[in-house]
Each structure stands twice: as C-alpha cells, then as structure tokens.
Amino acid sequence: MSAAASGTSKAAHSDAGLKKKRGPGALATAYLVIYNVVMTAGWLVIAVGLVRAYLARGSYHGLYYSIEKPLKFFQTGAILEILHCAVGIVPSSVVLTGFQVMSRVFLTWAVTHSVREVQSEDSVLLFVTAWTVTEIIRYSFYTFSLLNHLPYLIKWARYTFFIVLYPMGVTGELLTIYAALPYVQKTGLYSVTLPNKYNFSFDYYTFLILIMISYIPLFPQLYFHMIRQRKKVLGHAEDYSKVE
C-alpha cells in the first residue's frame, strides 16, 4: 500500500499510543527522541536537496537523482519502527506498522530502484514530495509529543496536511507502478517461471497489478479514518476558539 497512505494511518495508531498513561521508560524515551530527531533531520535534508536541485536546474524534471541516496537511507531507516512496536516501547500494532513501513520500502527499492526507467518520471517526484512533507511533520510531532511540549501548529499540520498530501502521494505511487509495468513485463523482473526445481512460479507483473488494485478498497478507509481522527483531535480546540 501507499507510502503517503502508510504514513497517515500509521500515525493515527501511534498518536493514540502516545496518549496512553503508561509511556516508555526514561531510557526508551531518550532513544525515541533521538530517533525521531534524526529522522526529522534526514527528511529535512531531502527537502533541502530537492529545493537546491530545483533552483540549480530551473526544472523539476529528474530531481529524484539529487536525493536518491538519502531517500533510500531514511526510508529504509523506518524499519526500526517495526522493532519499536515489537519490543513494546511504542504501543502500536506490529503487523499494521510492518505493513505500512514495508509498503514504502517496497516502492522505494522494488519499484523505483529496480526499474531505473521510471526514476525520471514526474510521478516519482510527486510521491517523494508528499512523503517528505509528511515525514517532517510526523517525526516532529512524535518528538515534541515525547517531550510533552507539542506546539498546536505542529498538531494542526499533522492532522490537516494529509488532506492534500495523502491523495498526492497515492497518485504518485500508482502512476509510478503503472509506468514500471511495461519494463517489468518485458524483462521478467523478479518473476519465476516453470519449470524449475522448486515447482513454483511467480509473476511480478501480475503482483504489481494486484498491488494497484488493493489501493481501491484501502485508500478510502485510511483517508476517512484520518478525517475522523482530525475531527476528534482538533474538534475540541476549534470549538473552544469559536467560544472565545
């Protein structure tokens, strides 16, 4: 599933966990703060890299190459979030977090990295931009929440920007996978054909199509879940401001 998609839903569950009375111990909290600060800085590096490359080239075409390495590094670094859930320092579902993190890692490595022909597609820049803004906000949100000093502006951004970033990211991801299909079919990338000693076959082309189809039921569910979360989290503050 989607990467911008993955970020928003994962956040909803993690945000709920942060509100639980019993949080991580002092050592775990210190580690999580450092982790989230590093990840925030990493995605800021990606954002700066995109802006600098755009200003230098005067065009948004092919900007992926300017941030390819840090994107792969910090997106892969999100795998640690699965470990955080597994050891219990973050009270989120291991299965759900694993699915959402690995969907982004999959798009990063198994599609964009593996099919070099799609790297110059504008759709890649579309989802990379959505991921970058989403992650800067998300990791900042977690950092300040752990420190018990969450600015309202960050909380508002956390539950507002997804309205545009989520569809933007999903669109970029789908278009990128779609652009990869002809090359996957032509080269037989990652496919296994019969006969072979394992008596097993796998068609990566069909697999990618099934992934695209999975967006149809999942996207609306995750999107409207975040809409409900927004009303729940920001509703009281907005009602209070109207009274004032």
Side-chain angles (χ1 to χ4, degrees):
M1 180 51 190
S2 142
S6 70
T8 50
S9 176
K10 173 173 55 180
H13 290 268
S14 298
D15 297 346
L18 288 171
K19 293 180 181 179
K20 290 188 176 183
K21 292 182 180 179
R22 212 176 158 187
L27 187 61
T29 299
Y31 161 75
L32 287 173
V33 168
I34 293 172
Y35 172 81
N36 284 291
V37 167
V38 170
M39 294 298 281
T40 303
W43 285 96
L44 280 170
V45 167
I46 294 171
V48 171
L50 286 172
V51 173
R52 289 181 62 183
Y54 173 76
L55 293 175
R57 299 183 185 187
S59 172
Y60 62 86
H61 296 293
L63 292 186
Y64 169 79
Y65 301 104
S66 64
I67 50 86
E68 181 178 5
K69 290 182 179 179
L71 175 68
K72 290 176 179 177
F73 181 83
F74 287 102
Q75 185 55 71
T76 305
I79 292 176
L80 286 174
E81 294 180 37
I82 304 173
L83 180 62
H84 298 163
C85 298
V87 300
I89 60 174
V90 173
S92 298
S93 165
V94 177
V95 175
L96 181 62
T97 301
F99 170 77
Q100 292 168 336
V101 169
M102 294 311 297
S103 67
R104 280 191 171 198
V105 174
F106 173 83
L107 192 65
T108 300
W109 290 100
V111 179
T112 310
H113 169 77
S114 300
V115 185
R116 299 191 65 84
E117 290 83 356
V118 305
Q119 294 176 3
S120 59
E121 293 285 334
D122 293 343
S123 59
V124 172
L125 180 62
L126 196 62
F127 76 72
V128 167
T129 301
W131 288 7
T132 301
V133 178
T134 297
E135 295 299 62
I136 290 172
I137 296 171
R138 185 169 73 91
Y139 286 116
S140 297
F141 177 90
Y142 291 157
T143 300
F144 285 107
S145 295
L146 287 163
L147 296 173
N148 295 316
H149 291 289
L150 178 62
Y152 179 78
L153 180 61
I154 292 180
K155 182 166 74 170
W156 178 85
R158 182 75 185 85
Y159 289 99
T160 302
F161 280 29
F162 80 90
I163 295 173
V164 173
L165 294 175
Y166 193 0
M168 176 179 166
V170 167
T171 301
E173 293 160 19
L174 285 172
L175 290 175
T176 300
I177 296 174
Y178 180 77
L181 290 177
Y183 303 99
V184 171
Q185 187 177 42
K186 181 180 179 180
T187 62
L189 179 69
Y190 298 143
S191 296
V192 180
T193 57
L194 291 171
N196 58 66
K197 63 180 180 179
Y198 300 107
N199 196 31
F200 168 81
S201 65
F202 173 72
D203 186 2
Y204 190 54
Y205 175 83
T206 302
F207 179 70
L208 289 179
I209 292 176
L210 291 175
I211 287 180
M212 293 177 68
I213 293 174
S214 74
Y215 278 66
I216 297 174
L218 292 176
F219 171 75
Q221 292 182 45
L222 295 174
Y223 189 74
F224 287 111
H225 171 74
M226 285 303 296
I227 292 289
R228 290 191 295 271
Q229 286 295 107
R230 184 180 191 278
K231 291 180 180 178
K232 187 176 179 181
V233 174
L234 300 181
H236 296 300
E238 292 177 352
D239 292 340
Y240 180 77
S241 64
K242 288 178 183 178
V243 172
E244 290 294 306

